Amino acid sequence: MTGFLTLTPARRHTAAVLGLASSLLLASCANPTDGGTTEVANGSGTKAKINLSPEQHRVSTGKVDSIAAEVPERIRKRGTLEVVGSSGSAAPLSFHATDNRTVIGVEPDLAHLVGDVLGLKVKLNTVSWENIFVGLDSGKYDAGLSNITVTEERKEKYDFATYREDNLGFEAKKGSGLKIRGPKDVAGKTVAVGSGTNQEKLLVEWSKANVKAGRQPVDIKYYQNDSDTYLALQSGRIDLYLGPNPTAAYHAAGTGKTEVVGTYSGAGADLQGLIAATTKKDNGLVKPLADALDHVIDDGSYAKVLKRWGLSDEAIDRSRINPPGLPRSAQ
């Protein structure tokens, strides 16, 4: 589903996604003279400054003993919650502060909020995307908070506690004239995407749909990092980059060199995608995570975090455990 389709209940996210993209386009680049900030507009239209410095002054909340008691004993005794995220820079989701060391963003903020409720000190670990799942499988990490989409395939190995809507964005060089509404709009186009992501899965499905319809397939490209991807986009070696919509909109706003030319649900045409805290299946942590998320939704601290990063339009009203996710084969 894209931002250009007719709205239905299953597609209620579309207007919100387009609102997010347009609101983030009001952003300005970081200003080193005021300690490192950038400005975004929230869903309500009011502007908020994002703190890019290592001194984050994160939104916090209090411990809830009844929820903390649900945490598996081995984690309670340790006293820390080992959270893993991607080492890639993806503002405003997870990226480095102006000191180039401190990890900041909506994902770290939500991890710390959950840790507050559970009475655990959060330890943030950053690794390559594929090693997030390797670390969860081995038990090295307790939970992944890294813009991870619920998918039916992943549900076989992992449990999920949702905390944000998942929307994808097609980013193009500014003035490209491209509008992405569905598979035919990327037929024959060269599109970059992250390996092993649900964006890749959707793009592969679209390419197959094009071939089935007698159109050209998508020429899918992979790059090691975002800087290489954006260099390829600016030089014309690729036509589009498909990634998380908040990241695409934030980058377009900050540079003024690209634009979001289409949006799509991270779970396909008929289902709103959802981002979730991810744990090894049956490790006993998913319920306390979901209960902690419900608590911060109810006490208002969750809304403050999303507003702080300009992501109010991706808010959910309840954390769901293992909801329907991206199908094995997109329709």
Side-chain angles (χ1 to χ4, degrees), residues 156-176:
E156 292 188 357
K157 292 180 66 176
Y158 307 101
D159 286 322
F160 295 95
T162 62
Y163 60 86
R164 244 184 44 245
E165 288 191 351
D166 174 33
N167 300 302
L168 309 179
F170 286 92
E171 192 174 359
K173 190 174 181 179
K174 194 157 190 167
S176 69

Side-chain angles (χ1 to χ4, degrees), residues 131-248:
N131 280 319
I132 292 175
F133 301 97
V134 172
L136 291 173
D137 291 345
S138 68
K140 183 177 182 179
Y141 308 120
D142 300 317
L145 275 81
S146 190
N147 205 59
I148 301 172
T149 302
V150 180
T151 75
E152 290 304 307
E153 184 175 2
R154 288 174 183 163
K155 279 164 65 177
E156 292 188 357
K157 292 180 66 176
Y158 307 101
D159 286 322
F160 295 95
T162 62
Y163 60 86
R164 244 184 44 245
E165 288 191 351
D166 174 33
N167 300 302
L168 309 179
F170 286 92
E171 192 174 359
K173 190 174 181 179
K174 194 157 190 167
S176 69
L178 295 173
K179 293 292 181 185
I180 309 303
R181 302 174 177 85
K184 68 178 182 179
D185 297 317
V186 293
K189 297 289 190 294
T190 303
V191 186
V193 72
S195 178
T197 62
N198 71 307
Q199 296 97 276
E200 179 192 29
K201 180 176 172 64
L202 283 164
L203 194 59
V204 168
E205 292 290 344
W206 278 22
S207 186
K208 289 178 180 177
N210 282 329
V211 172
K212 188 176 181 179
R215 298 186 290 261
Q216 289 182 292
V218 181
D219 183 9
I220 301 175
K221 298 293 186 185
Y222 303 92
Y223 293 91
Q224 287 293 104
N225 52 59
D226 284 348
S227 59
D228 290 341
T229 302
Y230 287 123
L231 183 62
L233 192 62
Q234 285 303 311
S235 68
R237 285 182 285 131
I238 60 173
D239 300 302
L240 295 157
Y241 175 35
L242 175 59
N245 188 63
T247 301

Side-chain angles (χ1 to χ4, degrees), residues 60-62 64 113 117 292-304:
S60 61
T61 192
V64 179
L113 261 192
V117 176
L293 287 162
D294 281 344
H295 179 79
V296 298
I297 289 170
D298 289 341
D299 77 6
S301 55
Y302 166 83
K304 290 178 182 177

